[in-house]
Amino acid sequence: MSLKEAAERDRERSIIARTNATRRFFNINALYTALLFITWISLNSAVKIPEQFQKSNHTNNWAVLVDTSRFWFNYRHVANVLSIYRSVKRLGIPDSQIILMISDDMACNPRNPRPATIFNNAHEQINVYGDDVEVDYRGYELMENFVRLLTGRVPPDTPRSKRLLTDEGSNILIYLTGHGGDGFLKFQDSEEITSQELADALEQMWQKKRYNEIFFIIDTCQASSMYEKFYSPNILATASSLVGEDSLSHHVDSAIGVYIIDRYTYYVLEFLENVHPNSDKTMSEFLAVCPKSACLSTVGVRRDLFNRDPNKVPITDFFGSIRPVIITTDPINILEIPKRKRKTEKKTKIDEKRAYLPQFPMHLVQATV
Amino acid sequence: MGTESNRMWASAAFVGVLIVIGMPLWWKTTEVYRVSLPYDKISSFNTEAHYVTTQLNVLANDERTASEIIGLIEKTFEDADIIKLKIKKIILSEELQSKLETAASEHRSVEELANAFDLEQHNTFYVVQKKSLLQDVWLANERVMFYSDDKSSSIVVEVLKQWIYQTSVLLGARSEKADAARQTRFPPSNGYHVVLSIVQPRPDAIRVDFPTKEAVEDYIGTFVDELSVLHNFTLKSQWLYLLDFDFQATEVKDKTEWGRHYAVAQDRLSLLLTKLEERAATQVSELSTINLALYATPCEKAPLAIYDSSDRMISAPVPAFMSPKWGGVVLGSPSAADCNDEVPTWQPNIRTIMGAFISHLRKLIGIVDNEYIDGAFLEPLKSVVPRKWEIDNLLRIRTLEQLTSAERTLQSLAQLLGEISNIVINDEVGALINSAVENIRVASHLLGEGKLLEAYETSLIAFLAAESAFMEPSLLSLLYFPDDQKYAIYIPLFLPIMFPVVLSLKHLILWMRGKPIHKEKTE
Amino acid sequence: MALWPTGAVQHSNKNISSQMRYASLPREIVCTENLTPWKKLLPCESSCGFSALLNSRMIHNTNYHSIGVNFRKVCANKDCSEIKFEIKQTVALVYDYKIIGSIDWSFKKLFGQGLPGACPLASSSKVYVDTTTNDTQPFKLVPPPDSMILSQRGGSDTNIAVYNIKANRQMINIGAKNEVTNKLTVTVPPPLHFNRYVLGYGKEFGGIVTELTNNFWTPINVVLMENAPWWLPIQLSSLRINGEAESDLVISQFYSPGRSRQKPYHLELLLKLPPRSTTTITIDFEFVFLKWQEYPPDANHGFYIGSALISANLPTARNYTSLPITGSTFSSVFNASKPWYPAVLRTNGAMVSLPTPDFSMPYNVICLACTVVALAFGPLHNICTKELVLKPNGKPLSFTQKILNLFKKKKD
């Protein structure tokens, strides 16, 4: 072998060695980085980062649940809205902060073979009508009162339980169900509310500082057309179908004889039954609750007006109820016992004697006899 | 030709009737009735420009101290645009000085001062020098603050800023975003209901002897009587039986007479409020209701103690909590001796329980508690009556809040009415808006002059008028014909009519000018 | 005449009948949502006491159910110089043997559960069972009652079994077991019963008929009150008692005509029903046209007319369980004989079908009117403003004329 060849061989060997070394080096590096990566991932998922949820700044929760259709064959819409009512009550929102509007009576309807009950499942396990339901608006009262309720322009003699007494820290859940079309929602077969009117009503609420955030759910045909015109901030909206699609019902209960629940609400309910007041499920899980295979219509979401990431918003922000509680650490130590001056009642008037009156005008009978 | 002029005149008649008379008539009759509103005045509202003027009297023993104190006060409050102080310098006479120095206690000094000056006037405050003061600054219930000498001037200024005038809370009342104080207190109104509920979950197990009517009348009645310049209060009380709530309290052994106490987690407390609201039936009145509830714990679960989120027991004379804009709850427990009786009877200590309720009421009405300032002594409250300068502060906060809220309401209402052009504005709404605008102007002026009581009343009228105008039931756009529907009805009617008429205009004009026309239509 | 205050009123109040306010909602449906606030008025709510029995699935599965709240002032002392308030809440349920499945009844069968003890706040909790039919249709009460009371009221005897319920949270299930199960029962009709229905066909006139049947051997005095809404104008001139316009059965009459969209029509008749007879009272009404906005969303369903009110002074107390006016609890019924026994009864409601318009008419009218105007105006304008001129043949055709000629039929 010549020197050149030996040098060549050496060079080759060194090159191979070097490449081997670099290869090993890279291998080790890769292994090292892979190890680091795995540790980082496992750390992230194992440790629940306290800032997983974006901080919300609401102080109370309200819910407005509306069923807009009338007549026995629309039983499923009443079952829809009562199912949501039940879930929302179970998760903590008190009745005084839920406005429930039902257009027609299904539970005590003469056509209902199971009186005083409304079921949302053919197995008839849960009576969503329940024993302590409080319906705020029923029957004909729904006609124009939905927009009045949202904007606060109710007649002056409306009782407090029928008013939406929200303030700037309220998170409101709005759920609408019934029959709808492209750009409108039908109220009781005789009136309509257009998407523009709804958008204007929500804007007026924003102007008057009547909400902090709104979660808007609508389960009708062509539902997403109702939220397209929204322009107020802090609204997250979802609909059971897009424009041009129909929302379908789920199944028939042959004992009752009508469709008893809609697809979208059925899957929403399945999801909500697994949510408890301390749940850490997020809003984005809720928004993905009904894929096209289950719902047969595409669920629409509008998130551009909502400034938080739905991935980081807990579901209890809208479905649960928060009530800030401040512990009292400084009660007043009352040393002087107060005594209020009583208004002396004038006892100068003699109390008049009272008596019971006869319950039948026999004096008229005696007079003529 | 004769027939041509006939035809032209016929065409002109069509044009005259339809376009000249018909169109304006249609426009006028389908016009929406709108009362004219002072849009320019409303858009010129500046919510940041409101300020309060208040009278501050500085009394000192000599000229030098007075000037130094006044100088420091002026410098500190120079850039506070929300409150303007009208400072009056008074040098104490020898006689008054000696009376103040030789008084047995600070309270006697206050009485001496009351003889010389009028301490009852709203929106005034006296800063008085008393050399023999132990602390740097001394403050109690009257509108008087004592300070020892000019070395305590910095503390005087701090006390004025944070305790007396509470500039941060005033700024919060004026600001658009609610601060913590505004989130806690009830929204402005001309009246509130106060309901005291005694909750007895086990009436058969333990009897509760609480003179509810007298407690409400005496304690809460005396408190709200002092606030009669601000709001009207209606006092009510009720008993709620069999309202069972599971605190999920865990037993903790300790060294008290019971040998144990039950720990209640703080998170559980908000659920109690939900349960109370179901039964409390306070939704029946128009005005907001302040709920005060006393929970009588049965013997098996007594006594209760609240544990905070980090699992430490909160020590307080009586476990109590409150919820902003709702009310307060006191968790009362009977003593071991009460429970060992034949017929267990609990006689609650009215003073401690009402003490907790009064502290809740103070916060809910808007009295913000004061942080500790080193060197300043604030005499703790001994009676239910709020301090005089606290009432002044409430007046200031509420006036600012009502003024700015009314302005914002009117601005958004004007914007709304301007945007949606088919809402009818009837006379009542117009009158309310005009009244609100006028009262805002007057209230702002009075506030700037320092006439606090009149400013408060005027601002309350303005606030209520603005709210009524915004919430007027007739302002609903659904009730009226929206513009696009109006056109949708009239266009199919008028367009086919207008088409030939407008086309014939061209010939009409040419004929008027004298040019002959021949329009042919072949068959 | 028909309704009088049930509470203690001041002597000096002479205008008591002008202070009466009467309202009825014939269309309202009664369901659990009405029961919930009713239960909230009770101090024990529904945790114990009788309201715990009110299981809405069971009580709405009945032939007749009604809940009531009565509020009045009662005398607090003997000479009635002081008053206190009394609130009385009532539930009336009529079960059908076919629904519960057998002629034996028990709390479990009727309400789904037993009674979980009395409310601890009640000063007295009692269950009364009427056992008068034990002679003809023997049955056994389980558990045996605490005491038996014989009440003689107005000539009729009633045997009542009394149970004292204690607040000891013990479940008690009261029931009856019939000894003979295949006997047919004959129901004796009450002394006074009635029927009401709507007459007429078409959409111009109609009538309301109320039939009052007096089964008793003496005449019974009744006041019949009809409160017809403003959209159902009842004509007093058409009032006929047993077919006659003037009848001596009518002792006194009060009629207040209504005003359209403001006041309802109010008719009260004081009648003396002859013994063992049926009296038919007929009154005609005419249909009115309502404005388009006044129709409810389901206008073709019909409009409900509220029930008529019959206030009767019964001479007998058989099967009569109303409390005397001075009494507050059921025990005041025992041996409470009086010359007359007043009762306020309500007839069934009725439904009329008002002439409803076709609600799609506004759209139709717009389309029709626009089409007519468009079609008619064009030629009219042309006739007035254009002149037909003969065109000489042979002139060169313009381009548009050539295209139009392509579409025209060739005239041969």
Side-chain angles (χ1 to χ4, degrees), chain C residues 231-244:
Chain C
W231 42 264
L232 198 76
I234 51 178
Q235 315 290 347
L236 185 62
S237 53
S238 63
L239 178 67
R240 298 185 294 284
I241 319 282
N242 281 341
E244 302 161 20

Side-chain angles (χ1 to χ4, degrees), chain B residues 26-269:
Chain B
W26 167 75
W27 190 260
K28 199 77 177 54
T29 48
T30 55
E31 203 181 47
V32 171
Y33 179 72
R34 285 168 85 99
V35 169
S36 66
L37 296 175
Y39 287 107
D40 46 350
K41 280 198 208 145
I42 293 176
S43 53
S44 69
F45 283 151
N46 183 4
T47 53
E48 301 296 317
H50 293 296
Y51 61 91
V52 187
T53 304
T54 178
Q55 174 87 20
L56 179 65
N57 300 313
V58 178
L59 283 69
N61 287 343
D62 50 64
E63 180 67 37
R64 194 190 58 83
T65 324
S67 324
E68 189 163 330
I69 300 270
I70 291 176
L72 192 59
I73 295 176
E74 276 177 349
K75 204 161 80 99
T76 319
F77 280 90
E78 194 177 10
D79 41 347
D81 65 329
I82 194 143
I83 186 158
K84 292 205 182 356
L85 303 173
K86 272 204 303 219
I87 307 180
K88 192 163 134 183
K89 180 163 62 174
I90 302 173
I91 307 293
L92 289 168
S93 61
E94 287 290 335
E95 191 196 329
L96 191 53
Q97 249 187 60
S98 61
K99 270 199 211 157
L100 290 177
E101 301 291 337
T102 55
S105 69
E106 271 77 33
H107 296 282
R108 308 286 299 140
S109 315
V110 172
E111 281 173 34
E112 293 293 332
L113 208 63
N115 292 335
F117 299 99
D118 177 18
L119 295 180
E120 293 302 320
Q121 201 186 11
H122 285 280
N123 212 18
T124 57
F125 198 74
Y126 290 84
V127 177
V128 182
Q129 183 173 14
K130 183 177 161 169
K131 266 208 151 29
S132 57
L133 204 60
L134 292 161
Q135 308 91 354
D136 282 319
V137 168
W138 185 92
L139 189 58
N141 295 356
E142 301 294 326
R143 295 181 175 89
V144 174
M145 175 169 76
F146 288 116
Y147 67 97
S148 52
D149 53 30
D150 57 340
K151 282 190 248 329
S152 39
S153 53
S154 59
I155 303 176
V156 165
V157 163
E158 273 304 302
V159 168
L160 279 177
K161 195 154 159 209
Q162 286 184 22
W163 289 0
I164 309 293
Y165 295 124
Q166 291 185 334
T167 39
S168 55
V169 179
L170 285 177
L171 281 169
R174 193 178 71 176
S175 69
E176 188 154 342
K177 202 158 152 43
D179 63 340
R182 203 158 101 193
Q183 280 175 350
T184 314
R185 64 173 177 253
F186 268 74
S189 165
N190 59 339
Y192 301 102
H193 288 266
V194 181
V195 177
L196 174 64
S197 316
I198 314 290
V199 180
Q200 205 177 351
R202 298 281 309 276
D204 47 338
I206 181 163
R207 264 188 48 199
V208 177
D209 216 350
F210 192 80
T212 327
K213 188 153 176 262
E214 286 79 18
V216 168
E217 266 294 322
D218 288 333
Y219 287 78
I220 302 183
T222 320
F223 178 81
V224 300
D225 277 345
E226 288 295 314
L227 297 174
S228 55
V229 290
L230 283 158
H231 314 283
N232 295 327
F233 286 90
T234 313
L235 304 175
K236 302 184 203 167
S237 64
Q238 62 178 350
W239 282 77
L240 299 174
Y241 295 102
L242 293 170
L243 195 149
D244 224 345
F245 180 69
D246 182 14
F247 281 98
Q248 288 180 349
T250 49
E251 191 172 343
V252 173
K253 298 263 183 270
D254 65 13
K255 305 254 187 312
T256 60
E257 52 165 1
W258 280 97
R260 61 146 200 262
H261 64 259
Y262 282 90
V264 179
Q266 192 175 337
D267 309 329
R268 241 3 241 168
L269 296 175

Side-chain angles (χ1 to χ4, degrees), chain C residues 197-209 232-235 238 240 282-288 305 352-353:
Chain C
Y197 49 88
V198 170
L199 277 184
Y201 59 91
K203 293 276 192 280
E204 207 181 337
F205 297 110
I208 305 178
V209 176
L232 198 76
I234 51 178
Q235 315 290 347
S238 63
R240 298 185 294 284
T282 314
I283 189 161
D284 287 346
F285 59 81
E286 62 178 18
F287 290 104
V288 295
I305 313 173
V352 294
S353 187

Side-chain angles (χ1 to χ4, degrees), chain C residues 15-85:
Chain C
N15 281 344
I16 201 77
S17 51
S18 66
Q19 292 174 357
M20 181 181 96
R21 299 286 179 266
Y22 179 79
S24 71
L25 292 170
R27 181 92 199 245
E28 278 296 297
I29 298 159
V30 175
C31 207
T32 316
E33 57 206 55
N34 303 85
L35 193 62
T36 312
W38 185 94
K39 282 188 191 174
K40 280 198 181 166
L41 289 173
L42 297 167
C44 282
E45 239 202 310
S46 48
S47 53
C48 40
F50 297 116
S51 54
L53 288 176
L54 297 176
N55 191 344
S56 69
R57 284 169 84 153
M58 308 296 290
I59 68 171
H60 287 110
N61 200 12
T62 51
N63 274 357
Y64 174 83
H65 59 266
S66 111
I67 56 178
V69 177
N70 301 294
F71 188 82
R72 65 172 184 156
K73 292 181 184 162
V74 294
C75 293
N77 53 7
K78 266 231 160 34
D79 56 352
C80 216
S81 53
E82 275 178 28
I83 52 158
K84 55 182 181 182
F85 290 103

Side-chain angles (χ1 to χ4, degrees), chain C residues 152-379:
Chain C
Q152 287 165 321
R153 195 182 187 190
S156 47
D157 292 348
T158 321
N159 283 314
I160 296 192
V162 181
Y163 290 86
N164 270 316
I165 312 289
K166 292 184 223 359
N168 49 10
R169 292 179 189 248
Q170 299 270 349
M171 193 73 86
I172 177 167
N173 182 27
I174 298 173
K177 262 190 134 28
N178 277 283
E179 278 149 31
V180 185
T181 50
N182 56 359
K183 248 182 152 175
L184 290 172
T185 50
V186 177
T187 48
V188 179
L192 177 68
H193 65 91
F194 36 80
N195 190 12
R196 184 167 179 255
Y197 49 88
V198 170
L199 277 184
Y201 59 91
K203 293 276 192 280
E204 207 181 337
F205 297 110
I208 305 178
V209 176
T210 313
E211 287 176 359
L212 299 153
T213 308
N214 179 359
N215 279 321
F216 207 60
W217 52 272
T218 60
I220 299 183
N221 300 305
V222 299
V223 177
L224 171 69
M225 185 180 95
E226 279 278 356
N227 199 33
W230 62 262
W231 42 264
L232 198 76
I234 51 178
Q235 315 290 347
L236 185 62
S237 53
S238 63
L239 178 67
R240 298 185 294 284
I241 319 282
N242 281 341
E244 302 161 20
E246 298 287 330
S247 169
D248 48 356
L249 294 178
V250 177
I251 302 174
S252 173
Q253 174 182 299
F254 171 79
Y255 179 71
S256 161
R259 213 176 298 165
S260 183
R261 293 176 184 85
Q262 283 176 26
K263 237 171 48 158
Y265 292 81
H266 192 96
L267 171 67
E268 288 189 33
L269 295 169
L270 173 58
L271 302 161
K272 194 190 192 73
L273 301 176
R276 301 219 191 273
S277 66
T278 302
T279 312
T280 308
I281 300 141
T282 314
I283 189 161
D284 287 346
F285 59 81
E286 62 178 18
F287 290 104
V288 295
F289 287 108
L290 299 183
K291 292 187 187 165
W292 178 44
Q293 309 274 43
E294 290 167 353
Y295 286 98
D298 54 350
N300 288 301
H301 179 86
F303 287 72
Y304 286 91
I305 313 173
S307 48
L309 201 98
I310 294 175
S311 174
N313 228 7
L314 298 170
T316 169
R318 196 182 71 216
N319 287 339
Y320 180 81
T321 50
S322 277
L323 303 184
I325 199 157
T326 46
S328 287
T329 54
F330 192 74
S331 48
S332 54
V333 157
F334 301 139
N335 302 328
S337 290
K338 290 255 170 24
W340 302 104
Y341 302 97
V344 171
L345 311 154
R346 282 172 175 78
T347 64
N348 45 321
M351 191 156 88
V352 294
S353 187
L354 288 188
T356 45
D358 179 358
F359 290 103
S360 64
M361 274 317 281
Y363 172 72
N364 294 346
V365 162
I366 292 173
C367 288
L368 192 66
C370 294
T371 314
V372 164
V373 165
L375 289 179
F377 186 78

Side-chain angles (χ1 to χ4, degrees), chain A residues 66-332:
Chain A
V66 183
D67 149 58
T68 60
S69 49
R70 176 173 263 283
F71 303 125
W72 173 247
F73 51 82
N74 289 322
Y75 181 102
R76 61 188 185 279
H77 296 140
V78 180
N80 283 355
V81 77
L82 283 175
S83 313
I84 303 285
Y85 171 76
R86 214 184 89 86
S87 306
V88 145
K89 237 172 108 150
R90 185 175 53 85
L91 292 172
I93 303 188
D95 261 320
S96 53
Q97 287 170 208
I98 302 178
I99 307 276
L100 180 62
M101 305 169 92
I102 297 185
S103 300
D104 201 0
D105 172 63
M106 303 296 172
C108 288
N109 195 313
R111 291 172 79 163
N112 190 351
R114 316 256 187 273
T117 61
I118 293 181
F119 296 108
N120 62 358
N121 199 308
H123 298 303
E124 293 184 9
Q125 281 161 344
I126 316 171
N127 170 19
V128 287
Y129 193 59
D131 275 333
D132 57 350
V133 63
E134 274 187 29
V135 181
D136 296 302
Y137 284 89
R138 47 198 279 210
Y140 299 143
E141 291 174 327
L142 254 122
M143 296 263 269
E144 57 183 12
N145 280 331
F146 178 59
V147 179
R148 279 195 189 280
L149 176 83
L150 286 181
T151 52
R153 301 211 168 94
V154 289
D157 52 354
T158 314
R160 261 176 103 80
S161 57
K162 279 176 148 178
R163 292 181 193 236
L164 193 64
L165 299 165
T166 50
D167 55 30
E168 54 207 339
S170 305
N171 271 11
I172 311 180
L173 169 75
I174 301 182
Y175 177 83
L176 300 173
T177 182
H179 288 290
D182 189 0
F184 66 91
L185 175 66
K186 213 161 66 146
F187 267 79
Q188 295 201 41
D189 253 2
S190 72
E191 265 201 348
E192 283 161 11
I193 178 173
T194 59
S195 48
Q196 185 63 46
E197 281 162 357
L198 191 56
D200 285 338
L202 291 177
E203 173 67 13
Q204 290 181 48
M205 286 180 77
W206 175 251
Q207 291 283 329
K208 196 71 184 70
K209 292 197 186 1
R210 278 160 67 86
Y211 71 88
N212 177 38
E213 284 173 347
I214 286 184
F215 183 44
F216 182 81
I217 312 177
I218 178 162
D219 186 356
T220 67
C221 302
Q222 305 196 55
S224 62
S225 61
M226 285 307 281
Y227 63 59
E228 313 242 285
K229 294 247 175 65
F230 288 173
Y231 54 95
S232 320
N234 291 354
I235 300 181
L236 179 64
T238 179
S240 61
S241 58
L242 299 177
V243 175
E245 289 180 348
D246 286 338
S247 287
L248 303 166
S249 355
H250 197 256
H251 63 272
V252 171
D253 182 348
S254 42
I256 299 180
V258 280
Y259 279 96
I260 56 173
I261 187 99
D262 275 337
R263 278 180 182 264
Y264 179 70
T265 309
Y266 180 80
Y267 289 106
V268 160
L269 226 68
E270 234 177 41
F271 177 79
L272 287 177
E273 286 290 317
N274 293 330
V275 173
H276 50 84
N278 303 327
S279 173
D280 56 355
K281 294 209 176 9
T282 63
M283 285 306 286
S284 51
E285 288 177 41
F286 182 88
L287 294 172
V289 76
C290 200
K292 190 158 172 128
S293 53
C295 261
L296 304 180
S297 57
T298 322
V299 168
V301 176
R302 180 148 184 210
R303 58 189 95 200
D304 57 319
L305 296 167
F306 195 62
N307 57 6
R308 295 198 284 160
D309 181 6
N311 239 330
K312 298 204 176 71
V313 177
I315 199 163
T316 49
D317 263 10
F318 291 104
F319 284 89
S321 177
I322 185 176
R323 263 210 140 110
V325 156
I326 304 173
I327 312 285
T328 310
T329 47
D330 54 348
I332 311 288

